[in-house]
Amino acid sequence: MSIRTDRVRDVRHLGDFTTTPRMLLITALALPVGAVAALAAWALLRLIGLITNAVFYQRVSTELVAPGGGHHAWWLVLFAPVIGGLVVGLMARYGSEKIRGHGMPEAIEAILLGGSKVAPRVAVLKPVSSAVAIGTGGPFGAEGPIIMTGGALGSLFAQFLHLTADERKTLLVAGSTAGMAATFNSPLAAIVLAVELLLFEWRPRSLIPVAAAVCVATIIRAPLLGSGAIFLSDNRIDLHLSVYVLCVVSGVLSALLALIATILVYASEDAFRRLPIHWMWWPAIGGVVIGIGGLFVPQALGVGYDVIDAELTGSIGLGLVVGILVVKTLIWSISLGSGTSGGVLAPMFMIGGALGSLEAQIFPTVGHGFWALIALAGVLGGVMRSPFTGVVFALELTHCWDAILPLIIGAMTACGVSVLVLKRSVLTEKIARRGYHLTREYDVDPLEILFVSEVMSTDIVEFTDAVPVRDALDSLGSAHDDGDGWRQRLYPVVDEGGAVLGVVTRLALLRAGNEGDGSTRMAEIMVDPIATTHSDQNLRHVAELMSVLEVSRVLVVDRDDVSRVVGVVSLTQLLAGRQRDQQEARDRERVLRVRLVRSAD
């Protein structure tokens, strides 16, 4: 039968978001997760300070100090990272291999592939191993480990509750970002990082709980670690047109440095894989590289907040700038490739700041540490492919709000060059090497904006309940003709008034025809419709129905009278949305044309 609907589609049953009141419960659960993650961040920083002081200064103190800040014996600088690497290797071998690396790929893998489940031992071993690696001179930051640690705490809390995998993911990310916000006093950057890198969605159901956890962690941080900017800028900058052009140049240079660093990390990892020894010993070998680098540039060791501060205030010497740019990049990338435990943000801050400080020797003066700030955000945008995170981090670390436009130019340029030249970032290459594909392009699902009425079949075959199977098969013609009736595959069974009673599949119809004399009535072989939808529903709703109920065709019934069938929508027809999306991306056309009117003369 052919059915035509001329009325205006009523879509008031659809909304901008699919959030339910359960979001409030998850938000309430995220609050203690944020508090505990803040305490974990504080404890990790104190533990790093304790180990650094004990190893390099032979004193008991939890103050965060630079390993290369004193005149240490050469053997201490050389062998301390080796011993630290050996300890990390032993912890990974006999504790949990998940503590290896800088934490972010491991968090992403847990979210996408592990149902957001993290083992309890990771919550303990990851911060301890990172503190050992950094405290013995490792050129890493605390943010990657706290992302994994905070995420582990959120995941463990969620695993004790009756939650879905998506809800566990929300609490895992809440713990990760809360820990980061507490480490850097950067709540907005932490939330942006969650969206750009960890959540893989932008929905209120996850964004609001994550924001709540971040806010709690930032509030708790204030009495523990302070509430001011980590690297406060004097905020006096002189912007003019040439500065914006040079920000593009800085962005390109930042992208190239990010590419070099990324390639070095995985070239190092490949080299370590070829070694004929167990991976437990690799961090110790990476420690040898760190120690040698520390002999040349001691300031390259450890987290390096003092060096970053000098870069951003313009008080760093040219010799140290070159040393950091070369040595820090090499020892960080090689040691990270060895599988030791440590983060990427602080090293990227230092390396990016060094690049900008070098640019400041050539570029015009704009303000103290201005070019270091631009390159810092650019390198972060190029390495992580998270330009908004780079911009917001730079702003929150320095409170130099006047630099927002130059930061956007630099970070976006770096990100653009990076994604064009290199397929994977330092955060996703490790996941790809384990045989998994990860895409970080988020767009509107084309099935969200197409409706059932636009693709469904309305010229469909129906059978009344009293029709014999023999007559039903005869009405469809020969199966070899593969006509429209045969391709339909799902047939509504209705009463004399047209009200739907059930459905019959093509397979059931053929089986009934082969097993008897064909006198069996449709009412005897029909089943209740497994799934129905309405013509004003979007195709995503239908796709979810088909996925959950494991069917490939769904009856479309009238919203006002559900006993009336108005069509059938098939799995093949759902591809119409994808086809339109591909067509819009592929087909080129000139919409407007300019007509030149010439004089008759």
Side-chain angles (χ1 to χ4, degrees), residues 29 43 406 496:
L29 295 175
E496 293 298 333

Tab-separated table of all heavy atoms in Angstrom, residues 29 43 406 496:
chain	number	residue	atom	x	y	z
A	29	LEU	N	28.098	11.980	43.039
A	29	LEU	CA	29.182	11.021	43.234
A	29	LEU	C	30.531	11.605	42.825
A	29	LEU	O	31.582	11.206	43.358
A	29	LEU	CB	28.904	9.752	42.420
A	29	LEU	CG	27.677	8.931	42.834
A	29	LEU	CD1	27.460	7.772	41.870
A	29	LEU	CD2	27.815	8.413	44.263
A	43	ALA	N	49.478	14.923	47.680
A	43	ALA	CA	50.363	13.882	48.194
A	43	ALA	C	51.457	13.538	47.188
A	43	ALA	O	52.617	13.323	47.565
A	43	ALA	CB	49.549	12.638	48.549
A	406	PRO	N	46.890	36.103	20.465
A	406	PRO	CA	48.141	35.502	19.972
A	406	PRO	C	48.261	34.020	20.334
A	406	PRO	O	48.782	33.225	19.545
A	406	PRO	CB	49.227	36.331	20.680
A	406	PRO	CG	48.584	37.629	20.987
A	406	PRO	CD	47.149	37.312	21.270
A	496	GLU	N	-9.117	-6.876	9.406
A	496	GLU	CA	-9.908	-6.335	8.302
A	496	GLU	C	-9.999	-4.812	8.361
A	496	GLU	O	-10.183	-4.155	7.344
A	496	GLU	CB	-11.312	-6.945	8.323
A	496	GLU	CG	-11.341	-8.439	8.014
A	496	GLU	CD	-10.813	-8.751	6.620
A	496	GLU	OE1	-10.905	-7.870	5.741
A	496	GLU	OE2	-10.307	-9.870	6.408
